Structures are given as C-alpha cells and as structure tokens.
Amino acid sequence: MNRYGIGQPVRRVEDRRFLTGHGRYVDDLALPRQAYAFMLRSPHAHARIRAIDTTAATRAPGVLAVLTGADLARDKIGPIPCMSPVTNRDGSPAFLPPRPAIVADRVRHVGDTVAMVVAETLAAARDAAELIAVDYEALPAVVETARALDPGQPAVWDEVPDNLAFDWMVGDGAAVERALANARHRISLELVNSRVVVNSMEPRGAIGLYDPGEDSLTLWSSTQGSHFLRSLLAENIFKVPENRIRVITRDVGGGFGMKLFLYPEHVLVLWAAKKLGRPIKWTPDRSDAFMTDTQGRDNVTRLELGLDDGLRFVGLAVTNIANMGAYLSNFAPEIPTASGAVMYSGVYAIPAIAVAVKGVYTHTVPVDAYRGAGRPEAAYALERLIDFAARRLNVAPQELRRRNFIRPEAMPYPTPLGLVYDSGDFARNLEDALVAADAAGFAARRAASARRGRYRGIGHAVYIEQSGFPPDEFAELRFEPSGTLTIMMGTQSSGQGHHTAYAQLAAERFGLPLDKIRVQQGDTAAIAFGRGTGGSRSLPVGGASLAAAAEKLIAKGRRIAAHLLEAAEADVAFADGVFRISGTDREIGLEAVVRAAFNPAQLPEGVEPGFADTGHFTPPSPTFPNGCHVCEVEIDPDTGHIDILRYVVVDDFGTVVNPLLLRGQVQGGVAQGVGQAMLEHTIFDPATGQLMTGSLTDYCLPRADDLPPIEFAYNVVPCRTNPLGIKGAGEAGAIGAPPALVNAVVDALAPLGIDHIDMPVTPQRLWQVIRSAAARQAA
C-alpha cells in the first residue's frame, strides 16, 4: 500500500505556505501602475434615481474617473445573466430581470451599485465617493419572505407586480392528495429557514488588467471557478472570443458557494481597466461584503405528512416560499428547485410526494447557493417535521424513523421526486450514532440537569444529499522528463485541501511520493477546461477525471516499458511505480519510462514523444452522501444560553481518500450549521429595508467555545456512480447540524409544552420562549 495513497491520513501539503504567511490571495497582488476602485452603494432598499452629479468627485485629488450606469450603457456592457432559469408549473417561462453592473435608474436593495470611483489610492477613491450627489426618490420596500406575495406589497419589478419570480412544482400532486385524504394521521408544520450572510474569511476582491497589444482582458479574483467566469464575461458581458479573456484565481480564503458567481465588480474592474489603460483593483471591507455578497437560505416552508395505522409515511405535501432577493443571481432559481426540492424524500420510503416552490422577489441582497445549496433547507424541514410528528404521535423520534427508512436491499431506490439512490445503510448510521452518543443513558443526565435547574435535551437528524452530480470535469496530467508530475485541474480549492487529495490519488496510481507531485488550478490560460468547485463535485467527478487520465498514461507507459524490456505489452504489469514482466524479475521504474518517453529514439513505432494526457468524466447521476448527527444540549432558563455538551456524527461518504481532510470538512460544516441554527440572525428592517445586522458587531458567528469536540466516525458504503466509489463530503456537516441542534433544543424545552421553535435559537429568543411558556403553565 502506498503510504500516500487512498485511505491514508496524510497531512495537507499546502499548509506550509499558509502557516508561514506565503498564501497567495487577491489582495496580496499589486500590479505596476495599479489604480483603486471604490463602489458607491445605494443607502435605500428601493428608490428611483432622479439625477446623479459626479462633478465634484471627478475634480477631487487623485481621481482618474467616476463612472455611472449611463457610462456603462453607452459602452454596451451586457447585464449579469441568470444561468438557471426555471419553467413555471403552467409551462410558461419565468421573467428574468436585467442586472446591470451599475444601476442607472432604480435601486432595488441597500448596497446596489450606483457609481464607481477610480483613483490613485483607495483613500482618494473613498473620499471622492462622498462628493457624489445622488438625488433619490425613496420608494416603499418589501423585505419579508412570508409577505412578499401579499396583495398591495411594493413590486420589486414592474413586470412582476405580485413579486412572484417563479411558480415551480415537482412530484405527483394528485397522488399526494389521495394519500393524505386516506391517511390515519395528518401532521402539519410551518417553519422558517433563516437567511445567512456567508462571511468567508477572505473577501471577494478583483483586479482587472487590459493589454492593448493583445486586445485582451485579465481578471484576478477570489472565485470557485475561473472558467465559468471567463465564459460569462466573454459571451454575456463583453461579447468577445473567450481566448481574449483570462481569469486567474490563486488561493481562496473560503467560498461556501458564494464565490461561484459573476458579480458586478468583476465586470467593472475589467471595463475600467480598458477605459483607463491602468490595472484596477477593488477590495471590499466587511460591511461592503454584507451588502453585496450573495446570501443564503431564507425559506418559509409548510409541510403536511400523512401516516397510516402503523405510523408509516404515506404522503408528503410541501409548499416552499424561497426568497430570491432583488435580482436572480447566476444559479438562484435552481437552489430551491432542482437542487433542494428533489431531496424531500430524505432517507424515507414515502410513496407520494409533491413539492411546490414559489420564488419571490424582495428588496434585499440576492440569494444563491450557500454550503449545501437547497439540500440543507430540505433536510432541515423534513427532519424537524419528523421530530414534530413523533412528539404529536407519542412515539420516540428514532422509532418513527426506523419504521420508515429505505432499506439497503431496496437499492437502487427510485424516489417519487425523480432521483435514484444507488447506495446507503441509513439505519446503521442512526444506530451507530445513538450508541456513540450514549442515548440510552440520556434520561439520567436529564434528571441531573433538572436538579440544577437546567433544561437538557437530545436531538438527532438523519440526512441525505445529492452531490458530485453531472456535468463532466476535466484533468490533465503532465510529467516532466525528470519524472515529476504536474496535475492540472479544472476545479478550484477554497480551503478543502484539493492539492493533497489530488496528489494522493496520483500517488496511488503512479506510486510517486507527494514531493514529486504539484497541483495547479485556477488559470484559464494554463488549464484547458473546468467546471469549478460546487456541489461537493471535486473528488467524485474531478478525481474520477484524474483517474481516467492516469489510466491512459499507465497504458502508454506499459507500451514504452514493453519496448524497452523487449517483451510483449500484454506481459507487462504496473504496480507501485514499477513496470514488471509478469513471472520474472525484469522490471523498469516509472521514472526511467518517463525519461524514455521524451527521447524519440527509445520509443516504439507509432508512440508520440512526451508523457502527458487528459481525462474527462461525466457521472451518470449524483452521489448521495448520508449520515446521522446527534446533539445534546443544556439550556440555562435565566439567560437562554445553550451549552452544546456533546456532538456525534456518523457519516457515509463512500470511499475515503483522506480521513484527516474528511474530518476537517465535517467539523467545518457542523460549525456553519450550528452557527445558522443558534447564532446567525440576518435582520432587515421591514419598514426601510435596511440591513440591521450589517457588520460583525451585530451579526454573531460561531466561535471555538460554542462547540464541543465533534466525535466523528464513518461507515464506508461505496457509491456506484463513479469509479472511485467516492461520495461528496464538503457540505454534509452543514446539512445535518441545523435539524440536530433544533431538535435537541425542542426536546430540552418539551417539559414546558414547546414543540417547535424557529431558527436561530438565540439566547434572547429562548429566554422569551421560556418565560412565555412558564407564564402559561403558571396560569
């Protein structure tokens, strides 16, 4: 076994440069003659721009240009497109609103860009922006998801007076109606999946450069996929051949979905660079990111579950209102529909399901993919519903789940929502997690907490998600004559450890040490193709592409080795970095074969010099990671403070490439899921549309002391949809954590008669709920 190969807990090879301060982020880059951009943002959630006067700003010291929406229109710069439009349930197309990089006439959320100042220094650009006089006519705004469709609400877009962005459905509504009508029990629940601000450690940032000699544009930016941005910039924005635009992404300090997309600032720094003949750099501060980065979640969901006499699920109806914000971001409509709604089967054998999704416009920051992208929303709603139903039906939540699990022998299992689960043992994950969490001993621990005046609860959630889905991904393997290997990948690491994982896959195939392998990502001029990173696709799809390229090279190497060893190709085997003639001690190492590959005199007839090849892999269907989270909490009734006492996770990610990387991904995901469920609260003033939680002073992120050590284990059930058997792991922690935590909180407060509470379960909210419940009991 290769000590660097699949299954080995190899420490991350990229960490040395990060820990020694040699990471290469956008803000570390400074180009000769670089100028600086500052964006003037709208202070209104909804307003008409009557006039804009840039005279004073243009004359300010150090200012090179002040650009407005009128300038953008004159230069015929295209709007930012939505790339995932959906069709309404009646077959009609949904309206796709235009999104210019600078607004010329009407702003639709606080933070909309109304002008860009370019100056010699960032300070000069900021100062000049304060001199721009904008005459706004303030208009009424709507920000609340649940109220966006109410009659009489202000219209975000005149073309959609009712604010209905789309009306979409999946499943068999008639079958669900029949199932619910005949059900012995019907349980309904309405809940909120709260909005989150992404808050990646590194802000987005962008630098634009124009080369007049080549008539080409180069963008440096912190992204999750350089090729995707290049395609949109070329085809939709500047309308030039793709090879006239280069996008470079170096190290990325966190993405979580938010850095997948094309943003106005990408367009503006390139446009300004061409107009001014200078490199243009834009770096946001944290408050700017709060107003302009896409945000996540923000659903209001109503569910109704039917059960028979044996408490088996017979039908599920879901209606979801999903906030899109003011514009349709690149993939916004896909998140609650094709990504999320199809996951309402969960891990359960539910014969009839129908999910209706209504996307709504509001005067808020646009919403798009955030770690899990629709799957956490579905898992949260379903797992809360099942706990809620169990409490109403006086049955243990784990027992209700056991009765309804899809069995391993039913695989492959076609769900009523169009997916086919290829593998999974859901009951095993639940049982292992409950044993690891000592659920059997919980009653004694609860009693001990009660004696101290505390409320103690235990909750669990069993999830499944789709990841590693089509389309294809690309890899290129390029050996140098010395025998070292460069891996060119079309994905993009944003902290996951891609360089280590891909190097391990190559080490497994070629028998190489890691110090002979280099991984390159994020440069459209160096890497031929790529889909970027999203949906936990990098290892299941990118890794399979790498394996495909490796097999081609090994086949070529076998042919060269046979020629050098004067043997039949069929008699040559390859293992552990050595080509051997079967049944003999004659062999030749990979390094010697690679050297020979660059010497035409040593090659067999018909073999081209060099040792490089490419690989593509298109998965036939997604992978389906799954698992169980168990959370135990204690609540102080005097303050509403939650102590998470224990957190246990048992997951199934199929084949495990690196247990250390896997554990880190799960831990990070759990922290983000707990943050949403317990601490993070995005509040827009319903009267003005102002973001009231617009900085880290007002918006609470989880800290290390909010979580106990996360106890992590996994079951290996390889998937059947990629040759490596890998199921994506990057988002799973954020999917299982919110329902596990909220289920535990509700269990703790059950003695007070509380059977549901919406996220976030902040101390203030819990304190109020406890006081209200205590008052009711006293009455």
Side-chain angles (χ1 to χ4, degrees):
M1 177 184 292
N2 188 302
R3 66 190 181 102
Y4 303 112
I6 292 177
Q8 300 305 302
V10 176
R11 291 187 178 275
R12 291 170 28 136
V13 299
E14 54 265 74
D15 281 355
R16 182 179 183 276
R17 73 171 189 275
F18 295 139
L19 294 172
T20 57
H22 291 89
R24 299 168 297 168
Y25 299 95
V26 176
D27 199 48
D28 295 323
L29 182 64
L31 301 180
R33 300 181 64 244
Q34 178 174 279
Y36 296 83
F38 181 80
M39 308 302 168
L40 181 65
R41 311 293 191 183
S42 167
H44 299 281
H46 190 200
R48 188 171 288 110
I49 300 175
R50 291 195 185 106
I52 181 167
D53 185 354
T54 63
T55 306
T58 303
R59 295 171 178 169
V63 171
L64 302 172
V66 180
L67 301 171
T68 66
D71 299 315
L72 194 77
R74 275 193 295 271
D75 286 355
K76 295 182 172 54
I77 304 300
I80 295 171
C82 172
M83 302 303 294
S84 60
V86 299
T87 302
N88 293 315
R89 68 168 84 185
D90 65 3
S92 63
F95 169 67
L96 300 179
R99 187 185 184 186
I102 302 179
V103 176
D105 53 358
R106 186 167 151 198
V107 296
R108 289 177 167 86
H109 71 89
V110 173
D112 239 349
T113 307
V114 297
M116 173 172 66
V117 181
V118 181
E120 295 287 356
T121 67
L122 179 57
R126 282 181 179 272
D127 290 345
E130 295 183 5
L131 301 176
I132 299 174
V134 185
D135 182 6
Y136 292 104
E137 178 191 351
L139 300 171
V142 58
V143 299
E144 297 174 271
T145 306
R147 298 192 59 200
L149 298 175
D150 290 353
Q153 289 292 339
V156 180
W157 294 94
D158 294 340
E159 296 86 348
V160 189
D162 58 0
N163 291 321
L164 182 63
F166 55 83
D167 184 4
W168 183 91
M169 187 172 181
V170 65
D172 189 336
V176 172
E177 285 185 16
R178 290 193 298 270
L180 293 177
N182 296 320
R184 176 68 178 85
H185 307 279
R186 295 175 69 164
I187 305 294
S188 298
L189 177 65
E190 183 171 299
L191 50 76
V192 173
N193 199 295
S194 50
R195 180 184 284 233
V196 293
V197 178
V198 178
N199 276 303
S200 60
M201 187 174 291
E202 179 205 17
R204 285 187 285 118
I207 301 174
L209 173 70
Y210 175 65
D211 183 338
E214 296 288 339
D215 189 24
S216 64
L217 295 162
T218 300
L219 173 71
W220 285 265
S221 188
S222 178
T223 81
Q224 289 176 232
S226 300
H227 291 82
F228 173 68
L229 261 62
R230 181 184 68 171
S231 175
L232 294 189
L233 288 166
E235 295 179 20
N236 298 88
I237 308 300
F238 296 105
K239 299 175 180 62
V240 297
E242 272 194 88
N243 60 10
R244 295 292 179 90
I245 295 181
R246 179 184 184 186
V247 179
I248 302 172
T249 298
R250 306 197 297 182
D251 292 323
V252 180
F256 313 116
M258 178 269 291
K259 290 181 181 174
L260 273 169
F261 317 119
L262 180 66
Y263 285 90
E265 295 81 12
H266 295 138
V267 176
L268 296 177
V269 295
L270 291 173
W271 174 54
K274 185 172 183 179
K275 287 181 76 69
L276 300 176
R278 299 268 299 268
I280 308 297
K281 182 175 187 176
W282 170 76
T283 304
D285 57 26
R286 186 63 60 180
S287 293
D288 205 45
F290 267 83
M291 295 188 296
T292 62
D293 294 351
T294 57
Q295 298 176 356
R297 316 294 191 235
D298 204 345
N299 293 179
V300 177
T301 309
R302 179 173 174 79
L303 308 99
E304 186 170 13
L305 178 67
L307 304 92
D308 64 15
D309 287 329
L311 300 187
R312 289 181 175 81
F313 306 153
V314 297
L316 174 65
V318 181
T319 301
N320 184 24
I321 301 175
N323 198 336
M324 297 289 100
Y327 303 95
L328 292 181
S329 180
N330 293 157
F331 296 108
E334 180 182 327
I335 304 310
T337 57
S339 181
V342 295
M343 295 309 304
Y344 273 96
S345 291
V347 294
Y348 308 105
I350 310 174
I353 308 174
V355 184
V357 182
K358 293 185 176 183
V360 297
Y361 292 116
T362 61
H363 293 103
T364 62
V365 179
V367 172
D368 210 313
Y370 171 67
R371 200 170 192 169
R375 287 95 77 193
E377 294 92 313
Y380 175 74
L382 185 61
E383 290 301 290
R384 276 297 300 129
L385 174 66
I386 291 172
D387 254 48
F388 182 83
R391 203 166 295 282
R392 288 292 176 93
L393 298 168
N394 198 30
V395 61
Q398 59 267 38
E399 177 57 26
L400 186 57
R401 290 182 170 89
R402 289 186 187 112
R403 295 189 191 192
N404 290 282
F405 278 142
I406 300 165
R407 307 297 175 188
E409 57 269 21
M411 302 294 178
Y413 178 83
T415 76
L417 299 175
L419 298 177
V420 178
Y421 298 164
D422 69 286
S423 59
D425 189 343
F426 313 132
R428 179 183 174 191
N429 294 335
L430 171 66
E431 303 308 329
D432 288 356
L434 292 175
V435 169
D438 187 23
F442 173 71
R445 298 193 295 275
R446 169 176 262 174
S449 292
R451 289 193 292 271
R452 295 186 291 106
R454 303 292 181 94
Y455 297 111
R456 194 175 189 124
I458 190 169
H460 64 273
V462 184
Y463 78 91
I464 188 169
E465 64 144 327
Q466 59 169 332
S467 67
F469 34 73
D472 62 332
E473 193 45 77
F474 167 84
E476 180 179 357
L477 304 185
R478 188 184 301 166
F479 275 88
E480 289 77 35
S482 63
T484 57
L485 170 64
T486 298
I487 302 171
M488 320 286 282
M489 295 300 304
T491 57
Q492 178 62 53
S493 177
S494 56
Q496 300 94 328
H498 285 183
H499 290 70
T500 303
Y502 287 139
Q504 285 186 258
L505 292 178
E508 176 84 13
R509 291 298 190 276
F510 294 113
L512 291 172
L514 295 187
D515 61 4
K516 289 195 172 186
I517 302 171
R518 187 172 69 95
V519 177
Q520 186 171 347
Q521 297 176 298
D523 186 345
T524 59
I527 298 162
F529 175 76
R531 301 284 184 186
T533 290
S536 301
R537 298 178 72 252
S538 295
L539 275 188
V541 187
S545 303
L546 187 159
E551 291 307 312
K552 291 182 185 179
L553 282 179
I554 290 169
K556 180 175 183 177
R558 188 179 293 111
R559 188 174 179 187
I560 296 171
H563 177 72
L564 296 173
L565 294 170
E566 299 180 332
E569 186 178 338
D571 294 335
V572 177
F574 179 74
D576 301 322
V578 176
F579 294 92
R580 292 185 178 86
I581 301 176
S582 301
T584 75
D585 59 358
R586 297 181 62 204
E587 63 182 40
I588 186 171
L590 174 65
E591 185 174 315
V593 169
V594 171
R595 288 185 184 278
F598 287 88
N599 184 352
Q602 292 186 281
L603 295 178
E605 185 177 350
V607 174
E608 291 188 357
F611 209 66
D613 218 321
T614 63
H616 278 264
F617 174 69
T618 302
S621 61
T623 70
F624 295 97
N626 57 90
C628 180
H629 290 218
V630 182
C631 180
E632 189 167 330
V633 303
E634 191 176 68
I635 300 172
D636 181 349
D638 295 329
T639 64
H641 177 76
I642 301 172
D643 277 321
I644 301 176
L645 304 174
R646 195 166 185 192
Y647 203 102
V648 173
V649 181
V650 176
D651 282 319
D652 165 20
F653 295 124
T655 302
V656 174
V657 174
N658 185 320
L660 286 180
L661 293 182
L662 184 63
R663 182 182 296 272
Q665 284 294 291
V666 172
Q667 289 173 341
V670 168
Q672 282 186 281
V674 166
Q676 179 190 4
M678 190 171 75
L679 301 168
E680 300 182 45
H681 200 183
T682 308
I683 303 173
F684 289 93
D685 184 340
T688 66
Q690 293 293 326
L691 179 60
M692 307 299 289
T693 51
S695 73
L696 292 177
T697 302
D698 313 297
Y699 187 94
C700 186
L701 291 175
R703 301 174 302 183
D705 61 356
D706 290 314
L707 283 163
I710 296 169
E711 301 169 50
F712 172 63
Y714 52 85
N715 292 314
V716 177
V717 183
C719 75
R720 308 172 190 177
T721 56
N722 68 67
L724 301 176
I726 298 171
K727 303 174 184 178
E731 296 160 296
I735 296 172
L741 175 71
V742 176
N743 286 344
V745 169
V746 171
D747 184 60
L749 301 181
L752 296 174
I754 294 166
D755 58 11
H756 179 67
I757 183 170
D758 277 322
M759 297 190 290
V761 288
T762 61
Q764 179 187 19
R765 180 172 287 179
L766 288 184
W767 181 81
Q768 291 170 335
V769 166
I770 291 169
R771 284 176 61 86
S772 297
R776 287 195 301 271
Q777 287 187 338

